[in-house]
Amino acid sequence: MARVTLLYFASLRDAAGAASETLESAAPDLAALYEETRLRHGFVLPLAHLRVAVDGAFAAWTDAVRDGTEVAFIPPVSGG
Amino acid sequence: MARVTLLYFASLRDAAGAASETLESAAPDLAALYEETRLRHGFVLPLAHLRVAVDGAFAAWTDAVRDGTEVAFIPPVSGG
Amino acid sequence: MNRFGIAAEPIDIAPLRARLLHERAGAFAAFEGWVRNHNDGRPVDGLRYEAYVALAEAEGERIVLEALEKFGALDACCVHRVGDLPIGELAVWVGVSAAHRDAAFDTCRWIIDEVKSRVPIWKHERYTDGRSDWLHPRQTHPTDSGG
Amino acid sequence: MNRFGIAAEPIDIAPLRARLLHERAGAFAAFEGWVRNHNDGRPVDGLRYEAYVALAEAEGERIVLEALEKFGALDACCVHRVGDLPIGELAVWVGVSAAHRDAAFDTCRWIIDEVKSRVPIWKHERYTDGRSDWLHPRQTHPTDSGG
């Protein structure tokens, strides 16, 4: 089990009802962590539309979930 | 004979030693007017490098020299 | 100061432009994104931008440095607003100085394109019919968002 | 006021930009040509611009209107300095507002290119070795003059 803090932005934050939450997860990688989070909060965005960041830097979905990290799911951006 | 005022700019003005001059010319068209002016002042720029304007609007070298007009020989421009 | 910033207050352009003045620079190009009164045919009341600030600043900085490397401009900087913005408000500013105008234009265009497609900033539009939406374009095309 | 002007005094950018603000505009692009400290490898002290003002204003106005027609931007304007300019001084300013950034960038680039190739304005450069020259390029290429 890894203890992680999840950050939610934009429509994901609205759907989760929170900007962040800290939880324990047994997900083997970041992709699995997103899938379990998506089911729990009813996110409509599929993983293929997102990017993921760990501790403020972009990461790969196949990266392991490391204990004590901050994971951000990045929905499609719309700045500019 | 047509009485015309010639306007000189940039290197043509330096070569002519004047910003304008008024004279009588028997030149049949603006090209001939430039050629006689070029010989008189020793302009180095050939006609093919210039444009010509009459009374503040671009004109064609084959236009006749009209009495009472203001003719400007436009050397290659370098604004910007 | 860094070359990319997230601003919670209205952007003051003059000092940003002044930073880019350089005796070797013959050309300067700037882009501004303004809040429009419509998007995709829907009348817009105003909008809110939200950013993942730490990552946005790191990614924005990378974009500006990549652009300078790629096109050989002398200097560039970019600032993006977050918070509530009324119609007409400045949302993003990009400025580039270069010896010649090719590099200035190309760098400026590339930076705004990359910022729109890579930097974690999200737009929340309020429509005049009372509804509102987060914009999550699947892919950013030059004509489908903001400016 | 017209959309193209010749200015004998330093150009004040803020009111020119303000004229272009529009609720339908999501994008604004600007170009500035600055006096560089070198040209074609020669160190430059400063320069003088001279114009055939009546024709320059008429031709400049035509360029801006042609550009708006061609690219569909909302509005644009351009001002070019004449007189003696020190290094770093603003020589020409172009601003364009449009719904989207493609039109803003394309219009801005086209206007400065056309102004450089069509408007009767001439540059007289003073070099640090004491010599000076009128610039009469046979044809204007994007990288051979000023910015």
Side-chain angles (χ1 to χ4, degrees), chain B residues 7-11 13 19 53 56 58 70 72-80, chain D residues 4-8 47-60 79-85 91 115 118-124 134-136:
Chain B
L7 305 183
Y8 302 122
F9 297 98
S11 66
R13 193 194 47 234
F58 285 115
E70 188 178 74
F73 300 122
I74 314 283
V77 303
S78 49
Chain D
F4 182 91
I6 295 291
L47 52 77
R48 182 154 57 93
Y49 280 107
E50 170 182 315
Y52 178 12
V53 175
L55 184 56
E57 292 192 332
E59 187 71 356
V79 176
H80 200 299
R81 265 302 296 283
V82 291
D84 290 306
L85 280 72
V115 165
R118 288 165 52 181
V119 175
I121 299 172
W122 298 273
K123 188 191 313 202
H124 187 256
W134 285 103
L135 272 72
H136 289 314

Side-chain angles (χ1 to χ4, degrees), chain D residues 3 61-76 96 103 107 110-111:
Chain D
R3 291 191 169 85
E61 194 75 18
R62 262 192 296 274
I63 288 170
V64 175
L65 295 177
E66 283 172 32
L68 292 175
E69 173 83 12
K70 188 175 168 74
F71 299 103
L74 292 169
D75 206 353
V96 180
T107 307
W110 194 83
I111 288 174

Side-chain angles (χ1 to χ4, degrees), chain C residues 17-142:
Chain C
R17 174 181 174 280
R19 281 180 55 189
L20 300 174
L21 296 168
H22 194 291
E23 296 212 330
R24 282 185 296 145
F28 169 79
F31 176 80
E32 302 182 13
W34 296 339
V35 179
R36 276 186 298 158
N37 65 2
H38 66 286
N39 191 24
D40 253 332
R42 297 176 74 176
V44 172
D45 246 3
L47 52 77
R48 182 154 56 92
Y49 280 106
E50 171 182 313
Y52 178 11
V53 176
L55 184 57
E57 293 192 332
E59 188 70 355
E61 193 75 18
R62 261 192 296 274
I63 288 170
V64 176
L65 295 177
E66 283 173 30
L68 291 176
E69 173 83 13
K70 188 175 167 73
F71 299 104
L74 291 169
D75 206 353
C77 93
C78 177
V79 175
H80 201 298
R81 266 301 297 283
V82 291
D84 290 306
L85 280 72
I87 303 298
E89 188 80 3
L90 180 59
V92 58
W93 187 88
V94 183
V96 180
S97 59
H100 298 283
R101 69 190 186 284
D102 275 341
F105 275 110
D106 292 348
T107 306
C108 189
R109 178 64 198 252
W110 193 83
I111 288 173
I112 187 62
D113 286 353
E114 294 294 305
V115 164
K116 288 172 89 90
S117 70
R118 289 165 53 183
V119 175
I121 299 172
W122 299 274
K123 188 190 317 202
H124 187 256
E125 287 184 340
R126 291 189 310 276
Y127 306 103
T128 52
D129 62 9
R131 287 189 292 180
S132 67
D133 257 330
W134 285 104
L135 273 70
H136 289 313
R138 182 69 181 91
Q139 220 174 341
T140 304
H141 300 290

Side-chain angles (χ1 to χ4, degrees), chain B residues 9 12-13 16 18 21 25 38 45-48 61 65 67 74 80:
Chain B
F9 297 98
L12 295 190
R13 193 194 47 234
E21 59 181 345
S25 171
R38 186 170 72 82
L45 288 169
L47 178 143
W61 286 112
V65 179
D67 191 57
I74 314 283

Side-chain angles (χ1 to χ4, degrees), chain D residues 63 76 84 129 138-139 144:
Chain D
I63 288 170
D84 290 306
D129 63 11
R138 182 68 182 90
Q139 221 173 342
D144 72 359

Side-chain angles (χ1 to χ4, degrees), chain A residues 27-41:
Chain A
D29 60 17
L30 296 169
L33 179 63
Y34 180 69
E35 289 304 336
E36 71 180 32
T37 306
R38 185 170 72 83
L39 290 174
R40 188 156 48 85
H41 288 304

